[in-house]
Amino acid sequence: MTAALDGIIGHSAPMQAIAGLVMKVAPHDCAVLIRGESGTGKELIARSLQKNSKRAEGPFVPLNCGAMPDALSESILFGHEKGSFTGASSDKRGLFEAANGGTIFLDEISEMPLPAQVKLLRALQEKEIVRVGATRNI
């Protein structure tokens, strides 16, 4: 098996094509959409992309968006400022900040609440986030 797909079992032509795509995409600093049915190895592909990228030494932060509570989705993703809502007793980094220098893997993204998807799109396009209750971009 190709080193690019370490941890993935398969030698078929389609798997070799995926390995080739991983090696083509990994050197580029870009967002990647990995599609497939549940259980087909999307996270393994994401890990392979990171392992073969310049972000290899950074953190890999996976999140199942379907398991994320709607009311907390923006805080989980982008963090929040002290006092921005009841119970926000201190500033908190979100998963995007936690993944800085590495990779964030958002699984089941279609299950994410629509308002959070809009903010996610902006974060991906602008490469900036705004914590809940903040007035400045990070």
Side-chain angles (χ1 to χ4, degrees), residues 43-72:
E43 185 170 342
L44 290 173
I45 297 298
R47 287 183 185 276
S48 294
L49 281 165
Q50 181 184 13
K51 183 178 179 180
N52 290 282
S53 76
K54 54 189 165 193
R55 296 175 174 266
E57 298 302 317
F60 183 86
V61 180
L63 173 66
N64 181 335
C65 296
M68 188 171 44
D70 287 2
L72 297 176

Side-chain angles (χ1 to χ4, degrees), residues 23-113:
M23 295 310 289
K24 259 188 196 174
V25 172
H28 302 282
D29 191 18
C30 62
V32 177
L33 175 65
I34 304 169
R35 297 183 348 178
E37 297 295 321
S38 185
T40 57
K42 295 181 296 290
E43 185 170 342
L44 290 173
I45 297 298
R47 287 183 185 276
S48 294
L49 281 165
Q50 181 184 13
K51 183 178 179 180
N52 290 282
S53 76
K54 54 189 165 193
R55 296 175 174 266
E57 298 302 317
F60 183 86
V61 180
L63 173 66
N64 181 335
C65 296
M68 188 171 44
D70 287 2
L72 297 176
S73 61
E74 289 178 41
S75 177
I76 290 169
L77 289 170
F78 309 121
H80 62 260
E81 299 285 311
K82 178 180 178 179
S84 59
F85 55 85
T86 303
S89 57
S90 63
D91 291 352
K92 180 157 176 39
R93 292 180 347 146
L95 294 180
F96 268 85
E97 282 184 82
N100 190 26
T103 299
I104 186 167
F105 173 67
L106 303 173
D107 197 13
E108 304 296 337
I109 200 166
S110 63
E111 301 300 318
M112 183 184 293

